[in-house]
Amino acid sequence: MLYAARRSLKGRKSGAQGWDFSTMAVIGTDYVPVRPKLYPKSRDTLTVDAKFWKSFRSQKTEQQIASVTNIHFCPSPPHDFAVTSSTRLTIYDGKTREVKKVISRFSDVAYSGAYRGDGQLIVAGGETGLIQVFDSSSRTLLRQLRGHKGAVHWVRYSLHDKLHVLSAGDDNSVRWWDVASQTQVFKMDQHTDYVRCGAASPSSEYTWATGSYDHTVRLWDVRAAKCILQLKHDKPLEDVLFFPSGGMIAAAGGNAVNMYDIVGGGRLLYSIANHQKTVTKLRFTTPTISGVPSPRLLSASLDGHVRMFELEKFKLTHASKYNSGAILSMDISPACLTLVVGMSNGSLSVRDRRKSLEEQETMAPALPSLTGVQESTELLGMEPPKPQPKKLNPNNYRYFLRGRNEKASESDYFYAREKKINLTRYDVFFRKFRYRDALTAALRTSEAKVIVAVMEELVARQGLVRAMTDLDNQSLVTLISFLGRQAMFPKYARLLIPVTLKVMDMYEHSFKSVPQVKKPLAWLKDRVAEEVRLLIVLQTLQGTLEPLRHTATLS
Amino acid sequence: MVIRGGGSLVRYQPAFSNDGKLLLVCKSALVTVYSTDTSLPVRHLSGHKDAVTVVIVVPPHITKDVSVNRCYTASMDGTVRFWNFSTDGPALKVYKVGHPIEYMVMPSLLRPLKENDVKTEEEEKTEEKGKNEELIAYVSIYYLIEGQQVRAEAVDGTKATDVFGGRVKVFDLRSQRFLNGTLVKTTTPQPLAVSSAGSFVGMTWSRKVYVWRVPPTHTDHVKCITLTTLNHTKVCKVVTFDPSERVVSAGDHTGRILCWQSVGERRLDQIPKVKGGNPVQRGPKHNASGVRGNDDAASCTTYHWHSNAVRALCFSVDGTYLFSGGSEGTLVIWQPETGKQQYRPRLGGPLVYITQSPDPALFAISCLDNTIKFINLGTSQVEKVFQGIKTFTPLPASLEWISNTRVILEPGEEKLAFPTDNMGLQFYDGVRDWHTAEVQIAPRTYVGVDFKNDETECGPSTFVTHVAFSCDGSTMATVDICLPEEEIGGTASLKIWDRHASLLKYTLSTIVNDPHGADITSLVYHPTKNLFVTCSLDATFKIWVQSSDFSAEGETATGWMCRSLGSYRRKQILAAAFSPDGTVLAVAAEELVTLWNPFTNGFLTSLVALPFPQKIKHLAFVHETKYLVATSTGKKPRMTVWHLPSLSIRWSSPVYVEALAVDPRNPVFAVIALTGRPTSETTEEGYENPVNRKSVVAVFDPEDPTPISAWSLKEGIGGSLLFSSTDLNQDREEGDLSDETAGKRNSCLVVVTGSREYVMLNPFDKKKEGELSKPKAKGSEAGARRSGRAKKVAEKAENRASVYQALYGNAAAPRVREASDVVGMLAPKPWGDLLNAPSHVLPPLTKISYAFLESLLKRREDTDETGMRPEP
């Protein structure tokens, strides 16, 4: 009765590494196995967003002839994508991400290859000012729209009918075309510089926006053929994008992305200046992140980053870096499965999260198929087959094991067998007071937590130095490479740095005779040098910050 | 009413009653009779005035009835008493020996009765049983050596202390006198051993084993007793005889066990073959008999397993097994015939005694962690545990600035909580004097005492240093440390435990590894809120709060986190205390006391420094008053009381305070002060060595340097004080409430000595002074000699106060600081709201930087104009 407390002790979230004292007869009278310490869980630095965006894994990087000027996903499945680069328009298969077709009917550099809403036609501009319409499946040239006097960098089909195209050219004009008759319906000349981007409003059939190098975004009404709104920006516009609601416009110019409220008369609502260099492309996507549909604004920039912003406060939620250079074009598939990014040096990066999706699915049990079987048998009017209990005879090994896994029923008296403590190898050596063997056994696990726990137990028994003397060559090599790996880790540094020093002192003279130790020793030396460098850098930083902080607190 | 308790169960050997139902344990001046069924105390035999050292139960062949419970006890007070321990009540007979008895054996009790000795019942009635039988005790006593006094005085310079030597003498209880002559002289008295039939008495001293052959009848000189000496090369620690009385077994300090066969047969060939007369089986053949020199033994066999000293040896009833134990905490079961061993490891502490119970399979093992464990050798299981207050090794001298928790009151059930050596926390019921529960603070395997190169024992290297409870006891915070080995390692961990409702069960809620960069000096819980403070030698103190910010994967977990960190002039933080209402936190930064607001982290003020700056060790607010008590140690220790409203020192006196406690119900505080030469006489060296000094428990009113009451205390070093709300006056009659103590709310002072004995007394109970002044039950440990000493202390304290005034006069009240003096935590930012915007709204840095730098420059001009204008 006096030992009421002894069974109460269970470590927090005990599990495998907590302490379980329930098997102790009387406190202090039994061997307590050495278990790794509980360390604070390292905070998961990945936000849900970061996790989501990191699940896009690099599938392939293709090299195009010249810089990739435009990427456009086909709105209809399987969401092929058209990549415009140099004098070519390459169509990649949406499933296999392999080249499907190449359209090379351009006499000069092609620009802005884009699908029609149904994915059957592709329209593309070009350096010559000629706009061409191709059949996406047969590659046949269907129509040619002539009229622009400069290069056409942007041309798009109307979202709502399949008949019209709006194009923007370097001759400062925006033209509205009737494709079937290959005629220009009208031309709008209000822009005073190159017009390089535009967008169709998702809510209104007749409203379009174009952005120009004259630092303005203009909204057009194609019914009246006139400018209905002018939005001012600080920099030449590189991309314009309607919000899915159609009430706001995001316009990228320079390194700033401005959000305008066009319903409220073109008021500037937000400005994001998160990129170091000019933002080249903007895209909206609405992935389902951890079960919640979360609309995101993606911006690609010449600084090689694609950044993802949420749409409430326009906070940065994630950024992914593309090392190969300035990003000129970017698009994401409508189902938010594939992110394609084109660089100025012609490389095309395809990132895909299909594989990670598959992995998740394989992790989950394949339930649907099972239920499917059951349903089908039920449909046939049969009961699902019950596994017949096999009659056991002495020919079967299980015959001799029968009844062993019998569960006690509720009315039975239950005598629990005393829980056996599973002793690890180093525990066995600890029980025999063979400290060196315990340390060697721990080193063999190569788990830092375990080794540190064993070392701490040795310190508590005042036996670490004894355990470290006269180690055999193999253990010495393991110990030194362990120290090289872990000694600078802040969690263990307080224990391991003095251990390192002690080992150096103890084996100073025997290192020469052990050739294997040379490599880990050099590695350890490098790590120390690296750490010292880091410390110097940090101290420099502290030195710069300290006067600032001091002036701030003084005044 | 005074409650005494605690103390060691294992200092001396326990004894079983003849029927095995009772266990008699020497517990200081008491013999406590435990029931072996319930392992709870049944009764106490009180009467001795000093520690009881020996209990000898009269064997059944003398009492004729197994259920008749009689015993002899010997004590350090120089008396032997004869008891009937079936009933409460005083001793049946008292024999005055006149010297403190360290050990006693009574071979005459063990002698089998001769045929013609069996008397008829009538004879027994007329003359007390065994009247003709001689009643001889071999006693190992402290013998006063008178000539040594002068020398001691010359060396010590203090009051002459008596010098004792050890003597083994023979005492005749019938005639109550010593036989002439002395058996052996030693410097310290040694325990004796007696063979099972009472034919031999043995003792070890240095490298010799003495075996005396007990004569059938004693003359009035010890010459009738023949001595055989056995020599060994190592210091022998313990000796025992096998049941056939042919084998003498001794354990030495290196862990060897020696068995001498046929000791003294050459000289004492007339040994009567008592036990069946079987010829003794010889051990394994020895080429050389192993007997040293001219020792009188046929052969000597050595067994070696223990790596440290053998402390306990015992033969089984039939002599086929030999049990030995030592500091490894392992019971080794030898088969002397074959030399084979078996083990029962991990008994929790060094073994000191192995006692055979009437049941041949059952042994009582006394372990140095203050437990007596019953081991069934059939199953090798611990069947029962008798638990005293567990031991705690004092912290090593290198950690002198850690004021560790020696005992703390658990606020929920008012249990005393003691940190223990095996990294546990033991809850002890002070009123009932029994063990309640134990919590393991950190996992630890007992590994025995380790010896380094020389033979100095290394103490333990892991300690539970601090324990603190929240006001309602629902949360407990503990600090446990592991000392570094050659400056490698050395960890501390702060653990916070949640208590289960209504039970003394705690579950670990949070572990903080290495909460500070250096040793933690103190841990203080807030009196009302769920918040505590840790102080450290790394010059910081940290405030810890509960936080639910630990949600992991859906489930919310509450944990604890450091809310704020404070430091004062990079001084080591040594102590902290909360004011009773919890609004002010006093922190001792080396010799300075600083006051803080624990909620806003605001620094309030620092108090006037002590006249002789010394590092402060204890700090406490006195309840209901505006006084703060601090005690400092070092060469010139002081106890100082500040008056907080005036921020001045009220009084200060040069006493070395070992422990400080404030009463949470009355405006008083109590200290354990070490007395010695007053500092006024020896100003230079001061108190160089606090050990070996007498200590005084004194209760003070903070306004008055004269203690309200004081008691002297032995073993004040390592002692501790507590105020508990236990009502000691339950037996008082109604009418008594009108006396002067009625004004004070019930509060009971618990004084815990260094050896973990405690006394619970009412510090205001003037009526009971008389009773206290007499050393009541446990005189040796906490002998309270109130009378003269309290007065002396009072006078001293008064003198000191006047010295202070003579030196400094009445301290001028310093300027009372206004609230506006309090330094705010946030300095105004010169750039205003310039940067107060989300980053995407902010203009580019190139734009801001001008405005930012301008704002800095502008502010600088301002200060120049207002504050630092150069004089023309």
Side-chain angles (χ1 to χ4, degrees):
Chain A
M1 66 166 284
L2 298 182
Y3 286 87
R6 69 174 182 250
R7 284 178 194 283
S8 71
L9 282 156
K10 278 211 171 155
R12 163 188 176 222
K13 286 200 182 164
S14 54
Q17 43 176 251
W19 317 329
D20 189 359
F21 295 100
S22 56
T23 49
M24 291 170 59
V26 177
I27 280 181
T29 64
D30 230 329
Y31 178 76
V32 185
V34 178
R35 292 286 171 262
K37 252 191 198 171
L38 283 173
Y39 288 100
K41 251 191 189 170
S42 60
R43 292 251 171 152
D44 203 349
T45 47
L46 290 183
T47 57
V48 276
D49 252 74
K51 256 185 213 162
F52 176 81
W53 292 112
K54 286 223 163 154
S55 69
F56 282 84
R57 291 184 205 162
S58 189
Q59 287 301 315
K60 61 196 298 183
T61 323
E62 293 234 336
Q63 190 62 42
Q64 304 288 327
I65 302 160
S67 55
V68 181
T69 53
N70 194 46
I71 300 165
H72 194 249
F73 266 96
C74 176
S76 62
H79 305 303
D80 297 343
F81 55 95
V83 174
T84 319
S85 168
S86 180
T87 58
R88 279 180 177 186
L89 208 161
T90 319
I91 297 171
Y92 285 85
D93 191 294
K95 268 189 182 157
T96 59
R97 269 98 49 188
E98 296 296 326
V99 177
K100 205 172 169 185
K101 287 184 181 72
V102 179
I103 302 170
S104 45
R105 301 276 298 267
F106 299 96
S107 51
D108 205 339
V109 179
Y111 294 121
S112 180
Y115 279 97
R116 196 168 75 169
D118 56 0
Q120 286 179 353
L121 301 184
I122 292 180
V123 64
E127 192 65 40
T128 54
L130 179 71
I131 301 163
Q132 290 172 305
V133 179
F134 303 95
D135 186 308
S136 65
S137 48
S138 67
R139 295 188 289 163
T140 42
L141 175 63
L142 299 178
R143 294 287 186 275
Q144 289 190 323
L145 310 174
R146 291 168 201 276
H148 274 292
K149 301 207 167 52
V152 176
H153 277 264
W154 180 84
V155 57
R156 285 288 182 281
Y157 257 102
S158 165
L159 288 181
H160 300 276
D161 62 29
K162 298 178 178 177
L163 306 171
H164 292 97
V165 157
L166 191 75
S167 67
D170 283 1
D171 55 358
N172 309 350
S173 68
V174 176
R175 292 163 200 252
W176 182 245
W177 304 87
D178 180 55
V179 179
S181 61
Q182 301 193 60
T183 51
Q184 175 185 322
V185 183
F186 57 82
K187 179 178 101 167
M188 293 166 287
D189 282 327
Q190 279 90 332
H191 279 300
T192 57
D193 205 336
Y194 297 165
V195 190
R196 286 278 168 96
C197 56
S201 163
S203 58
S204 158
E205 193 179 336
Y206 307 106
T207 312
W208 289 77
T210 54
S212 159
Y213 277 18
D214 62 1
H215 300 196
T216 59
V217 176
R218 282 174 190 273
L219 263 74
W220 308 101
D221 188 339
V222 291
R223 287 171 299 191
K226 65 171 189 182
C227 174
I228 48 170
L229 195 63
Q230 187 186 1
L231 308 170
K232 289 221 167 101
H233 200 284
D234 294 339
K235 293 277 162 64
L237 274 302
E238 291 290 349
D239 201 6
V240 175
L241 192 64
F242 273 98
F243 276 56
S245 63
M248 278 169 73
I249 277 186
N255 66 348
V257 180
N258 287 2
M259 315 294 158
Y260 299 95
D261 178 10
I262 49 172
V263 181
R267 196 159 48 96
L268 176 65
L269 291 178
Y270 284 101
S271 180
I272 317 171
N274 234 312
H275 283 282
Q276 307 294 316
K277 291 183 182 171
T278 305
V279 179
T280 50
K281 274 285 183 262
L282 297 176
R283 279 289 175 276
F284 274 116
T285 181
T286 309
T288 310
I289 298 176
S290 69
V292 186
S294 8
R296 294 283 181 269
L297 172 67
L298 273 58
S299 67
S301 157
L302 294 181
D303 61 8
H305 279 90
V306 175
R307 288 172 194 255
M308 290 76 177
F309 300 90
E310 49 87 26
L311 295 190
E312 279 175 19
K313 302 259 173 180
F314 296 99
K315 273 190 189 153
L316 183 70
T317 57
H318 186 67
S320 43
K321 166 91 181 141
Y322 289 82
N323 284 322
S324 39
I327 301 174
L328 288 184
S329 55
M330 174 258 303
D331 201 3
I332 188 159
S333 74
C336 198
L337 282 173
T338 315
L339 177 69
V340 187
V341 167
M343 323 287 173
S344 61
N345 63 0
S347 65
L348 179 81
S349 153
V350 183
R351 291 189 182 179
D352 198 307
R353 65 185 186 96
R354 249 173 260 185
K355 200 155 193 192
S356 26
L357 273 182
E358 280 163 20
E359 275 170 18
Q360 280 175 17
E361 274 163 19
T362 49
M363 297 278 275
L367 279 174
S369 61
L370 270 179
T371 51
V373 168
Q374 210 160 9
E375 273 169 20
S376 61
T377 49
E378 271 170 16
L379 279 175
L380 291 169
M382 287 160 28
E383 280 189 3
K386 265 187 191 167
Q388 289 289 322
K390 242 188 193 173
K391 268 215 168 153
L392 290 173
N393 56 13
N395 290 337
N396 195 328
Y397 176 62
R398 283 199 292 145
Y399 175 84
F400 299 99
L401 303 178
R402 64 197 192 282
R404 228 172 242 201
N405 297 324
E406 207 69 37
K407 293 259 165 63
S409 66
E410 274 185 24
S411 56
D412 288 347
Y413 284 105
F414 187 70
Y415 293 94
R417 184 181 294 171
E418 234 178 61
K419 243 188 202 169
K420 206 183 158 193
I421 306 173
N422 276 335
L423 290 184
T424 49
R425 274 189 75 79
Y426 51 84
D427 275 326
V428 172
F429 287 127
F430 264 124
R431 283 181 71 142
K432 293 174 179 166
F433 297 88
R434 288 162 61 180
Y435 291 163
R436 190 181 308 129
D437 293 333
L439 182 65
T440 314
L443 283 171
R444 217 164 280 158
T445 63
S446 67
E447 269 181 69
K449 259 190 190 174
V450 170
I451 300 171
V452 168
V454 166
M455 282 184 169
E456 277 178 352
E457 174 71 14
L458 283 169
V459 169
R461 296 177 175 211
Q462 304 282 307
L464 181 60
V465 175
R466 263 179 290 166
M468 288 196 306
T469 44
D470 299 331
L471 283 176
D472 58 69
N473 291 352
Q474 185 50 45
S475 312
L476 185 64
V477 171
T478 332
L479 176 65
I480 288 175
S481 51
F482 162 73
L483 290 174
R485 259 181 291 126
Q486 303 289 347
M488 318 310 158
F489 203 41
K491 203 155 57 165
Y492 309 131
R494 209 173 155 185
L495 171 74
L496 293 187
I497 288 176
V499 168
T500 314
L501 295 177
K502 189 80 198 172
V503 169
M504 292 299 134
D505 286 350
M506 281 159 56
Y507 289 95
E508 199 175 6
H509 301 294
S510 52
F511 280 143
K512 271 181 195 161
S513 58
V514 189
Q516 307 97 294
V517 88
K518 212 173 168 185
K519 215 171 150 188
L521 211 57
W523 161 242
L524 175 65
K525 199 182 158 195
D526 288 353
R527 289 297 309 270
V528 172
E530 195 181 310
E531 195 67 25
V532 169
R533 265 202 304 280
L534 178 68
L535 276 182
I536 292 171
V537 169
L538 286 177
Q539 274 175 344
T540 321
L541 185 66
Q542 196 181 13
T544 17
L545 285 179
E546 199 66 14
L548 275 178
R549 199 178 69 90
H550 201 62
T551 33
T553 44
L554 260 186
S555 45
Chain B
M1 184 188 166
V2 175
I3 297 175
R4 289 161 196 273
S8 177
L9 303 180
V10 296
R11 177 82 177 77
Y12 299 102
Q13 188 158 12
F16 279 96
S17 70
N18 289 323
D19 53 3
K21 285 180 181 163
L22 300 171
L23 180 73
L24 288 85
V25 178
C26 307
K27 220 167 138 186
S28 301
L30 296 178
V31 175
T32 307
V33 182
Y34 286 94
S35 158
T36 53
D37 289 332
T38 61
S39 64
L40 292 178
V42 178
R43 64 181 62 86
H44 302 285
L45 308 181
S46 63
H48 281 294
K49 300 211 165 43
D50 209 334
V52 180
T53 54
V54 189
V55 181
I56 299 169
V57 175
V58 179
H61 68 264
I62 303 238
T63 58
K64 303 279 186 344
D65 186 355
V66 181
S67 61
V68 173
N69 290 325
R70 300 281 187 280
C71 71
Y72 290 93
T73 61
S75 158
M76 296 290 275
D77 64 1
T79 58
V80 173
R81 290 173 197 238
F82 182 59
W83 308 82
N84 175 4
F85 59 89
S86 300
T87 55
D88 294 314
L92 301 176
K93 214 165 208 176
V94 181
Y95 306 97
K96 284 211 173 77
V97 177
H99 297 279
I101 303 167
E102 168 70 23
Y103 211 85
M104 174 177 84
V105 291
M106 297 176 77
S108 57
L109 287 182
L110 300 166
R111 288 274 178 86
L113 297 175
K114 289 167 201 156
E115 292 294 318
N116 52 6
D117 275 358
V118 180
K119 302 180 188 80
T120 56
E121 285 186 12
E122 287 167 24
E123 273 178 318
E124 262 190 58
K125 273 176 192 169
T126 49
E127 45 186 344
E128 265 183 30
K129 62 185 163 201
K131 192 86 180 177
N132 290 343
E133 277 285 301
E134 54 183 5
L135 199 57
I136 298 292
Y138 286 61
V139 287
S140 177
I141 53 172
Y142 285 92
Y143 194 79
L144 185 66
I145 303 166
E146 281 153 18
Q148 300 279 322
Q149 275 191 19
V150 188
R151 200 166 60 91
E153 197 165 9
V155 172
D156 251 2
T158 51
K159 204 182 128 196
T161 47
D162 299 333
V163 175
F164 289 97
R167 296 283 187 279
V168 179
K169 286 187 163 256
V170 184
F171 188 75
D172 187 351
L173 292 176
R174 292 255 181 270
S175 59
Q176 297 212 25
R177 63 177 187 84
F178 283 107
L179 268 62
N180 295 332
T182 301
L183 286 176
V184 72
K185 287 183 186 177
T186 55
T187 49
T188 50
Q190 298 295 314
L192 303 170
V194 66
S195 63
S196 53
S199 316
F200 294 100
V201 172
M203 189 190 87
T204 60
W205 171 245
S206 183
R207 282 168 288 193
K208 282 195 176 73
V209 176
Y210 298 88
V211 179
W212 292 281
R213 154 105 169 81
V214 179
T217 49
H218 288 79
T219 57
D220 54 356
H221 196 276
V222 293
K223 272 179 189 166
C224 63
I225 303 162
T226 34
L227 167 70
T228 312
T229 317
L230 300 166
N231 291 295
H232 183 42
T233 50
K234 303 277 171 8
V235 177
C236 292
K237 290 283 181 187
V238 61
V239 66
T240 188
F241 295 91
D242 93 317
S244 65
E245 301 194 316
R246 300 298 283 273
V247 180
V248 178
S249 181
D252 72 9
H253 80 283
T254 59
R256 288 176 179 78
I257 298 167
L258 301 119
C259 289
W260 285 278
Q261 272 84 14
S262 312
V263 172
E265 280 193 347
R266 211 186 318 157
R267 201 168 299 161
L268 314 164
D269 46 358
Q270 67 274 42
I271 296 176
K273 298 246 162 112
V274 274
K275 280 248 165 169
N278 294 338
V280 175
Q281 301 266 342
R282 293 287 157 91
K285 284 266 183 228
H286 250 267
N287 289 347
S289 66
V291 181
R292 217 158 270 285
N294 200 22
D295 286 353
D296 189 2
S299 70
C300 176
T301 322
T302 308
Y303 305 106
H304 195 182
W305 179 85
H306 293 277
S307 55
N308 299 325
V310 181
R311 298 212 202 178
L313 267 181
C314 174
F315 272 98
S316 66
V317 185
D318 57 354
T320 48
Y321 292 101
L322 173 65
F323 307 105
S324 69
S327 56
E328 297 88 359
T330 303
L331 177 70
V332 186
I333 304 154
W334 301 88
Q335 211 173 1
E337 282 183 29
T338 59
K340 283 180 181 165
Q341 321 100 320
Q342 282 177 292
Y343 312 99
R344 174 59 177 85
R346 282 180 289 283
L347 290 170
L351 308 188
V352 278
Y353 297 109
I354 303 168
T355 315
Q356 169 82 59
S357 82
D359 175 359
L362 201 65
F363 285 81
I365 311 267
S366 302
C367 291
L368 262 195
D369 62 347
N370 211 1
T371 55
I372 298 174
K373 298 186 175 96
F374 280 8
I375 292 202
N376 189 329
L377 284 176
T379 58
S380 208
Q381 292 291 314
V382 176
E383 292 199 337
K384 286 221 166 50
V385 180
F386 301 81
Q387 178 75 71
I389 300 177
K390 288 201 175 180
T391 49
F392 187 79
T393 314
L395 296 183
S398 58
L399 303 177
E400 60 166 331
W401 288 111
I402 294 187
S403 42
N404 63 315
T405 311
R406 285 156 183 168
V407 60
I408 191 166
L409 196 70
E410 193 275 318
E413 295 180 15
E414 297 254 320
K415 299 274 186 287
L416 304 175
F418 293 92
T420 65
D421 264 338
N422 61 351
M423 300 299 277
L425 184 70
Q426 185 185 13
F427 292 94
Y428 201 81
D429 191 326
V431 178
R432 296 197 183 82
D433 191 15
W434 70 47
H435 168 93
T436 315
E438 186 166 5
V439 173
Q440 187 80 36
I441 300 295
R444 178 167 179 257
T445 309
Y446 177 76
V447 288
V449 184
D450 202 0
F451 287 84
K452 281 263 158 157
N453 306 330
D454 48 356
E455 289 197 348
T456 50
E457 282 188 19
C458 314
S461 55
T462 49
F463 298 93
V464 176
T465 52
H466 295 96
V467 182
F469 290 95
S470 65
C471 52
D472 54 350
S474 63
T475 313
M476 171 173 82
T478 61
V479 175
D480 57 275
I481 60 165
C482 171
L483 299 183
E485 181 199 3
E486 299 188 15
E487 294 176 8
I488 298 175
T491 53
S493 80
L494 170 70
K495 295 188 176 116
I496 297 114
W497 308 73
D498 288 332
R499 186 184 151 154
H500 286 255
S502 81
L503 281 172
L504 275 175
K505 283 183 178 181
Y506 289 85
T507 42
L508 195 56
S509 105
T510 308
I511 306 178
V512 184
N513 293 325
D514 290 321
H516 282 275
D519 293 333
I520 294 172
T521 49
S522 79
L523 168 70
V524 186
Y525 222 101
H526 192 276
T528 52
K529 297 253 174 4
N530 230 0
L531 175 153
F532 64 88
V533 175
T534 54
C535 304
S536 165
L537 293 182
D538 67 355
T540 58
F541 63 94
K542 290 184 178 179
I543 300 179
W544 302 80
V545 292
Q546 201 162 19
S547 157
S548 54
D549 189 26
F550 294 92
S551 44
E553 290 172 20
E555 53 180 296
T556 49
T558 54
W560 286 72
M561 53 184 281
C562 172
R563 191 201 65 191
S564 24
L565 180 147
S567 77
Y568 187 72
R569 293 187 191 172
R570 306 305 300 162
K571 283 178 185 288
Q572 294 176 342
I573 309 291
L574 299 173
F578 280 102
S579 66
D581 59 349
T583 53
V584 178
L585 169 67
V587 172
E590 293 184 7
E591 72 278 359
L592 293 173
V593 179
T594 54
L595 300 183
W596 305 73
N597 184 334
F599 304 115
T600 64
N601 303 336
F603 172 72
L604 301 176
T605 181
S606 73
L607 296 182
V608 190
L610 296 171
F612 307 104
Q614 291 286 332
K615 288 185 179 182
I616 289 167
K617 192 150 189 198
H618 301 105
L619 201 60
F621 283 89
V622 184
H623 180 74
E624 283 179 351
T625 57
K626 295 181 172 61
Y627 291 101
L628 177 70
V629 193
T631 69
S632 55
T633 56
K635 277 191 174 174
K636 289 170 189 152
R638 284 198 92 81
M639 175 168 70
T640 314
V641 176
W642 275 277
H643 184 235
L644 287 178
S646 63
L647 296 178
S648 61
I649 294 176
R650 180 78 187 191
W651 57 271
S652 170
S653 80
V655 268
Y656 182 92
V657 173
E658 177 71 15
L660 169 72
V662 285
D663 189 340
R665 284 161 288 273
N666 300 302
V668 294
F669 66 93
V671 296
I672 295 181
L674 298 189
T675 61
R677 284 165 292 175
T679 36
S680 55
E681 289 170 23
T682 55
T683 40
E684 286 308 307
E685 61 265 40
Y687 293 88
E688 63 285 343
N689 181 16
V691 187
N692 302 329
R693 277 195 277 133
K694 285 194 178 153
S695 46
V696 172
V697 178
V699 179
F700 285 93
D701 184 334
E703 299 195 353
D704 189 4
T706 315
I708 300 171
S709 43
W711 301 269
S712 80
L713 178 74
K714 275 189 184 175
E715 288 190 89
I717 308 285
S720 191
L721 288 174
L722 276 182
F723 279 96
S724 99
S725 66
T726 312
D727 189 5
L728 293 175
N729 301 326
Q730 282 161 347
D731 54 342
R732 209 189 326 178
E733 289 157 31
E734 288 292 309
D736 284 0
L737 287 170
S738 58
D739 69 3
E740 56 177 332
T741 63
K744 309 269 186 191
R745 261 163 282 172
N746 254 325
S747 210
C748 142
L749 180 65
V750 185
V751 184
V752 182
T753 66
S755 61
R756 296 202 154 178
E757 284 185 44
Y758 63 87
V759 183
M760 297 167 81
L761 49 89
N762 185 345
F764 313 112
D765 204 349
K766 300 265 192 243
K767 246 180 77 179
K768 305 281 177 180
E769 265 171 28
E771 189 183 325
L772 256 177
S773 67
K774 277 184 277 174
K776 197 198 161 193
K778 294 169 191 177
S780 95
E781 308 298 343
R785 272 163 283 160
R786 157 95 172 96
S787 48
R789 190 165 290 279
K791 254 186 234 162
K792 231 192 265 174
V793 171
E795 280 166 15
K796 252 188 254 168
E798 258 171 0
N799 287 341
R800 277 170 210 149
S802 64
V803 167
Y804 173 71
Q805 280 171 352
L807 281 171
Y808 297 98
N810 286 324
R815 184 175 68 94
V816 178
R817 298 208 179 186
E818 299 294 324
S820 59
D821 285 2
V822 174
V823 182
M825 289 307 279
L826 281 171
K829 291 173 187 164
W831 53 83
D833 292 340
L834 189 63
L835 300 174
N836 278 356
S839 58
H840 71 264
V841 178
L842 277 180
L845 273 179
T846 46
K847 279 186 184 172
I848 304 176
S849 60
Y850 290 110
F852 179 75
L853 287 173
E854 268 171 18
S855 72
L856 288 178
L857 291 171
K858 207 169 153 191
R859 185 51 68 108
R860 184 59 56 81
E861 283 163 14
D862 285 350
T863 50
D864 278 349
E865 277 166 16
T866 53
M868 303 191 290
R869 182 180 296 172
E871 282 183 29

